Amino acid sequence: MLALLGLAPAIAGGLNPTAARADNPIVQTIYTADPAPLVYNNRVYLYTGHDEDNSTWFTMKEWRVYSSDDMVNWTDHGSPLSLATFSWAKQDAWAGQAVHRNGKFYWYVPMVVRATGQMGIGVAVADSPTGPFRDAIGRPLVSNGEIDPTVFIDDDGQAYLYWGNPRLWYVKLNADMISYSGSPTQIPLTAAGFGARTGDANRPTLYEEGPWVYKRNGLYYMVFAAKCCSEFIAYSTAPGPLGPWTYRGTVMPTQGSSFTNHPGITDYKGGSYFFYHNGALPGGGGFTRSVAVEKFSYGADGSIPTINMTTTGAPQIGTLNPYIRQEAETSAWASGVETEPASGGGMNVGFIDNGDYLKIKGVAFGSGATSYTARVASAGSGGTIELRLDSTSGPVVGTCRVSGTGGWQTWADTTCAVSGATGTHDLYLRFTGGSGSLFNVDHWRFTPAGSTPPPTDPPTTTPPPIDPPPTTAPPTTPPPSGDACTATYRTTNSWSGGFQAEVTVTAGAAALNGWSVRWNLAGGQSISQVWSGTLSTSGSTATVSNAAYNGSVPASGSTTFGFIANGSPTTPSLTCTTP
């Protein structure tokens, strides 16, 4: 574990087991604020701010990314953007938004400009929705002392940047998304457009901050935080991106234990979702906030209904497949644990003490699982992972022993038998052991009935990188008995300019003592990283041979290696050979 040594979890450790029956707020390991959703490649990515523990002001130093394909189990992708990314920034990593265009991801964020001491809006760019992001222009894009950027790309391709507190501004962005035409222009704040406020001559309308602009069925929406303090969420609509705006009413009334709120709205897999923040976690409040989400339906006239905060959150879309690799930092609820960067890329779950747990919602075991394998590390004496169904006191279907591995980032597999895991249940990984920190967990998967458990890997300091869970399991059908080995391929994730894939090597009637898989790379493809195998290339031909620990494969057994490549994914023809 990186930088562990006695640090107690600041927020989640005080949660009691009954809290896990709910799924709001959606992040429990740290305080998050100012949610900005983005749908990309059939997945929701959520960009947030990070309130530092025990804050008595909006003390924020970085931004975070989470993602989900079912709206309840969220994967923590860590912090790919921080104040340190911008050499010209001094402090205050406040509310921003990311958008996708030109095969890249642009993240607009406000910060204090070091040279002037006033707020400016920077833009960062990345090739992947999870970063890493870099400063796109080396200076503020705009800087007039105001905050809360939102970006909208209209159907005609014109992009707009809106922002402001106490006023409301816009500029037309150029197609490169890092420059603009014309000058920043104020949007008139009128009572007809944004509702009337009384008692504050400097604020004649309800508009406060946090605009969120989008278009639906030809109608333009401006959703915003209204009438500080405490704020509620209101909205206006218009026939065009620049108005004229008409005030439509309240989206979310003043409620919860945070005096600010911040909207983010998106459609995903046929549903509409409203993201916001409150102070619902232990120690939460106006400066220690937490992001939550609700599902809603528009009225026939395009109106947004009144939405109230709940502890239930959005319903799950589909189920989670336990028979493919799942990141440990993917969960619906986390109690007592935190996440941290893993040495080989991605994130791991750490700071695990006796009695902590993770809840993974809606796990589809089907006809049953026979074993469970987790990638773990411990500089101490380890502990156990109890696999329980439906609650922290539910039936135990397996118990995995975690031994010391010699380091918090020295990884090994632990496997245990599973019995009684059938149908669809919430899965609880309950951690037990002695005092102090027990171990870290990087990823896990179950083995279905009728297939061979994955081999146990020896310790290594280079675990494979994080990947959003794919939707299909690898083939488990053995090859024809006459073949020494066969190889099957599947793409597990893709993004603009790259992809991630897995290859499963399966032995024939005889056991393997070493193997190699060869295929031809398509035009524009190049492999940048391989795990659980050794790569060699000759021209456009790629060959991956077994690592030292997975060359021995029993008859009809299998092992899997993975890789990250540049270019567009294809389905290659694979050739598997033995020494």
Side-chain angles (χ1 to χ4, degrees), residues 114-205:
R114 187 183 306 277
T116 64
Q118 70 175 13
M119 295 298 296
I121 293 170
V123 55
V125 64
D127 298 320
S128 161
T130 58
F133 285 82
R134 61 190 182 276
D135 187 353
I137 57 177
R139 55 177 172 77
L141 176 62
V142 294
S143 182
N144 63 359
E146 301 199 36
I147 60 174
D148 291 357
T150 183
V151 174
F152 165 68
I153 304 173
D154 208 346
D155 297 337
D156 63 1
Q158 179 62 60
Y160 299 84
L161 172 70
Y162 307 81
W163 76 100
N165 177 346
R167 296 163 294 180
L168 180 58
W169 300 81
Y170 81 91
V171 293
K172 291 185 176 182
L173 293 174
N174 295 327
D176 63 8
M177 301 299 286
I178 59 174
S179 63
Y180 60 86
S181 300
S183 301
T185 302
Q186 277 189 249
I187 294 175
L189 294 177
T190 65
F194 296 92
R197 184 189 317 209
T198 59
D200 187 346
N202 296 319
R203 297 269 196 169
T205 75

Side-chain angles (χ1 to χ4, degrees), residues 107-338:
W107 199 345
Y108 302 83
V109 287
M111 296 154 285
V112 172
V113 180
R114 187 183 306 277
T116 64
Q118 70 175 13
M119 295 298 296
I121 293 170
V123 55
V125 64
D127 298 320
S128 161
T130 58
F133 285 82
R134 61 190 182 276
D135 187 353
I137 57 177
R139 55 177 172 77
L141 176 62
V142 294
S143 182
N144 63 359
E146 301 199 36
I147 60 174
D148 291 357
T150 183
V151 174
F152 165 68
I153 304 173
D154 208 346
D155 297 337
D156 63 1
Q158 179 62 60
Y160 299 84
L161 172 70
Y162 307 81
W163 76 100
N165 177 346
R167 296 163 294 180
L168 180 58
W169 300 81
Y170 81 91
V171 293
K172 291 185 176 182
L173 293 174
N174 295 327
D176 63 8
M177 301 299 286
I178 59 174
S179 63
Y180 60 86
S181 300
S183 301
T185 302
Q186 277 189 249
I187 294 175
L189 294 177
T190 65
F194 296 92
R197 184 189 317 209
T198 59
D200 187 346
N202 296 319
R203 297 269 196 169
T205 75
L206 293 174
Y207 177 83
E208 186 73 26
E209 60 183 350
W212 181 268
V213 178
Y214 64 101
K215 183 180 182 180
R216 179 181 181 274
N217 293 342
L219 190 63
Y220 295 79
Y221 290 77
M222 172 86 70
V223 186
F224 55 92
K227 194 183 179 181
C228 186
C229 286
S230 293
E231 293 175 343
F232 66 97
I233 303 298
Y235 78 112
S236 303
T237 59
L242 302 179
W245 296 98
T246 300
Y247 181 66
R248 297 290 297 272
T250 297
V251 176
M252 176 170 279
T254 299
Q255 53 191 271
S257 53
S258 168
F259 59 85
T260 66
N261 204 343
H262 193 98
I265 293 179
T266 193
D267 287 344
Y268 180 61
K269 292 186 178 180
S272 298
Y273 297 89
F274 176 75
F275 291 85
Y276 59 98
H277 66 228
N278 58 26
L281 287 182
F287 302 118
T288 45
R289 299 159 292 180
S290 296
V291 168
V293 65
E294 309 292 344
K295 187 177 182 181
F296 73 96
S297 297
Y298 290 90
D301 60 352
S303 59
I304 302 175
T306 300
I307 302 170
N308 289 303
M309 299 181 184
T310 74
T311 57
T312 304
Q316 186 171 12
I317 302 171
T319 55
L320 182 138
N321 182 358
Y323 302 121
I324 59 176
R325 168 174 162 156
Q326 297 289 351
E327 299 300 323
E329 62 273 16
T330 299
S331 65
W333 197 270
S335 177
V337 305
E338 297 184 28

Side-chain angles (χ1 to χ4, degrees), residues 29 328-331 333-335 337 349 356-360 427-431 441 444:
T29 52
E329 62 273 16
T330 299
S331 65
W333 197 270
S335 177
V337 305
V349 171
D356 294 345
Y357 65 85
L358 296 171
K359 171 192 175 183
I360 302 94
L427 170 67
Y428 285 76
L429 307 180
R430 186 173 183 270
F431 309 116
V441 186
W444 57 264

Side-chain angles (χ1 to χ4, degrees), residues 26-27 32-39 43-49 63-68 71 74-75 77-78 98 107 129 212 264-266 275-276 291-293:
I26 60 177
V27 176
T32 54
D34 307 321
L38 168 66
V39 175
R43 194 170 181 88
V44 175
Y45 291 87
L46 186 64
Y47 300 82
T48 78
W63 296 269
R64 309 280 295 200
V65 182
Y66 302 86
S67 72
S68 178
M71 295 304 296
W74 290 88
T75 301
H77 298 284
W107 199 345
W212 181 268
I265 293 179
T266 193
F275 291 85
Y276 59 98
V291 168
V293 65

